Amino acid sequence: MFIDSARFSVTSGKGGQGCAAFRREKFVVKGGPDGGDGGKGGDVYFLVDNNTDTLSNYKGRKFFKADNGAQGLGGRMTGKSGEALVLIVPPGTQVIDDETNEVIFDLLELGEKVLFLEGGKGGLGNTHFKNSRNQRPTYFQPGLPGQVRKIRLELKLIADVGLVGYPNVGKSTLISVTSNATPEIANYEFTTLTPKLGVVTVGDYNSFVMADIPGIIDGASEGRGLGLEFLKHIERTKTLLFVIDVANYRTMIDQYNVLKEEVAKFSSELSTRNYAIVLSKVDGYMGEDLDGDIENFIKDIGLEITKSNEFKFETEYPYYVQDLIYSRFDDTKPYFVLPISSLTKFNIKALGFALYNLLEQDK
């Protein structure tokens, strides 16, 4: 089960109370106060661990608490400190104050451990209150209470390439043939209800992470469909790959314009990420002139047909790719516009090399 958000309360441990005790020892007449201090309450930490990739450990839990400190003992012995509570989360987790919506932590680095709440201080024992006027104090301090916070955890996937497209345009099939991911694939919309990650291997030693994310529809940035669930997961992707379905009843340019618009509405920063375009399902095209439709789409977005490339794209259909030999990378344009077929593996291998090259371009 994929859980990408959780809401609960967290409390650090209460400090142990001090001790009121007096020295009782043979040959020691009227031993003075020797009550020890209470132990410190347990702290609360967050630890980033990639052995978990969901927040499912927190499903159904409403409250987490660190251990309290132990009471002080006679003989000036300090009570045992409370055991710390370590909350383990996957990389990409945001810790948000549920009452103010303030982002407290943005946990990205593997192995990162941060102190969230400090446990309460232990109370002083009666040995601290002895003085010339009161040589037999019988009182002690109670431990200080722990801190309480209501928080919300949100997981935003970290991937190199995020697939952006309408429902049922072939994103799941694409990630299944390019990576080790095994998403559900079916001929209906919103087959993908939760994000899926796959590692795409390029050559013998290089790879990158691709994210298959629930499809986007018109008005997604306003919360329609799975819109916000989709959009928040592409916030952390380094590059975007727009998947346009040539066999869809929507025209290619209409699909592209809506996708770009919804991404821009959700985040102006996200809309400036490097991106590329694939025209999927060329094997399922039902029109009369696929070449002409692809050429028109490339011209509609202000580009020209490319005649050669370094990635060995198939030349059966028109395509576009930036020429980085004689010019610099232009991040205002797609790196490439490439017809593909996940079913017949048309241009799939070349796509992996082109995406890896795109990831190497600096913003």
Side-chain angles (χ1 to χ4, degrees):
M1 177 179 292
F2 184 87
I3 305 295
D4 64 355
S5 64
R7 179 181 280 110
F8 51 85
S9 295
V10 183
T11 303
S12 58
K14 178 182 181 296
Q17 69 180 25
C19 173
F22 295 89
R23 187 177 179 188
R24 293 291 182 264
E25 192 175 336
K26 191 176 182 180
F27 306 122
V28 177
V29 180
K30 294 182 180 180
D34 68 349
D37 301 340
K40 182 178 181 295
D43 299 329
V44 178
Y45 293 89
F46 279 101
L47 174 64
V48 182
D49 186 353
N50 65 353
N51 288 323
T52 178
D53 55 7
T54 78
L55 298 173
S56 57
N57 288 339
Y58 305 102
K59 178 177 172 57
R61 302 280 300 274
K62 299 297 182 183
F63 187 75
F64 290 86
K65 185 179 186 303
D67 290 344
N68 293 333
Q71 180 180 353
L73 301 173
R76 299 187 181 183
M77 289 190 291
T78 301
K80 181 181 178 181
S81 295
E83 194 76 23
L85 172 65
V86 180
L87 301 174
I88 298 176
V89 295
T93 301
Q94 285 188 334
V95 182
I96 303 171
D97 189 302
D98 201 32
E99 297 177 334
T100 65
N101 284 325
E102 173 194 1
V103 177
I104 304 170
F105 299 121
D106 198 1
L107 303 172
L108 301 175
E109 299 298 325
L110 180 62
E112 183 179 3
K113 187 175 182 180
V114 295
L115 175 64
F116 177 44
L117 299 177
E118 192 168 353
K121 184 179 179 181
L124 299 176
N126 67 339
T127 186
H128 292 277
F129 303 105
K130 180 181 69 172
N131 56 51
S132 59
R133 293 186 177 183
N134 184 4
Q135 298 185 14
R136 193 177 182 278
T138 58
Y139 48 85
F140 54 86
Q141 283 184 336
L144 296 179
Q147 304 176 54
V148 182
R149 294 286 290 271
K150 291 182 179 180
I151 61 172
R152 184 172 73 254
L153 302 183
E154 289 192 357
L155 174 60
K156 298 181 179 180
L157 295 181
I158 301 174
D160 296 307
V161 178
L163 303 181
V164 183
Y166 272 87
N168 203 33
V169 297
K171 299 188 302 298
S172 296
T173 308
L174 175 59
I175 197 173
S176 71
V177 298
T178 57
S179 75
N180 59 352
T182 56
E184 180 183 353
I185 299 172
N187 190 29
Y188 55 84
E189 296 193 346
F190 293 112
T191 312
T192 302
L193 296 176
T194 60
K196 301 292 188 300
L197 293 180
V199 178
V200 180
T201 301
V202 182
D204 295 329
Y205 305 105
N206 300 319
S207 63
F208 61 87
V209 178
M210 180 182 286
D212 172 26
I213 303 166
I216 189 172
I217 63 173
D218 306 50
S221 60
E222 300 168 1
R224 296 179 185 173
L226 297 175
L228 295 178
E229 297 299 316
F230 158 82
L231 289 166
K232 75 179 182 181
H233 281 295
I234 64 172
E235 276 189 284
R236 297 198 193 278
T237 56
K238 297 178 182 177
T239 60
L240 304 180
L241 182 64
F242 289 89
V243 183
I244 308 297
D245 183 2
V246 302
N248 199 287
Y249 66 89
R250 307 175 184 90
T251 65
M252 288 185 273
I253 191 64
D254 284 345
Q255 293 178 63
Y256 175 73
N257 287 337
V258 169
L259 295 174
K260 288 283 286 184
E261 181 181 356
E262 293 300 330
V263 169
K265 284 181 180 178
F266 178 74
S267 168
S268 57
E269 178 188 352
L270 187 61
S271 65
T272 63
R273 299 277 167 82
N274 293 345
Y275 71 102
I277 303 170
V278 290
L279 307 176
S280 70
K281 298 186 180 180
V282 294
D283 58 284
Y285 178 75
M286 302 295 290
E288 298 179 354
D289 184 9
L290 179 55
D291 283 18
D293 286 349
I294 293 175
E295 287 184 9
N296 289 335
F297 173 74
I298 292 175
K299 291 177 181 177
D300 286 343
I301 60 177
L303 305 175
E304 297 180 353
I305 305 299
T306 303
K307 298 300 181 182
S308 62
N309 68 90
E310 61 179 299
F311 305 113
K312 296 183 180 180
F313 292 157
E314 300 286 348
T315 57
E316 183 177 343
Y317 302 111
Y319 62 86
Y320 163 81
V321 62
Q322 290 192 33
D323 183 1
L324 301 186
I325 298 177
Y326 299 105
S327 59
R328 298 183 61 183
F329 174 71
D330 186 349
D331 59 11
T332 64
K333 299 177 181 179
Y335 185 40
F336 57 81
V337 180
L338 181 65
I340 66 167
S341 169
S342 300
L343 185 63
T344 65
K345 306 293 180 66
F346 179 76
N347 270 332
I348 293 300
K349 186 174 182 180
L351 172 62
F353 286 102
L355 285 173
Y356 187 80
N357 193 262
L358 172 57
L359 290 170
E360 294 180 331
Q361 309 306 317
D362 293 328
K363 285 293 289 177

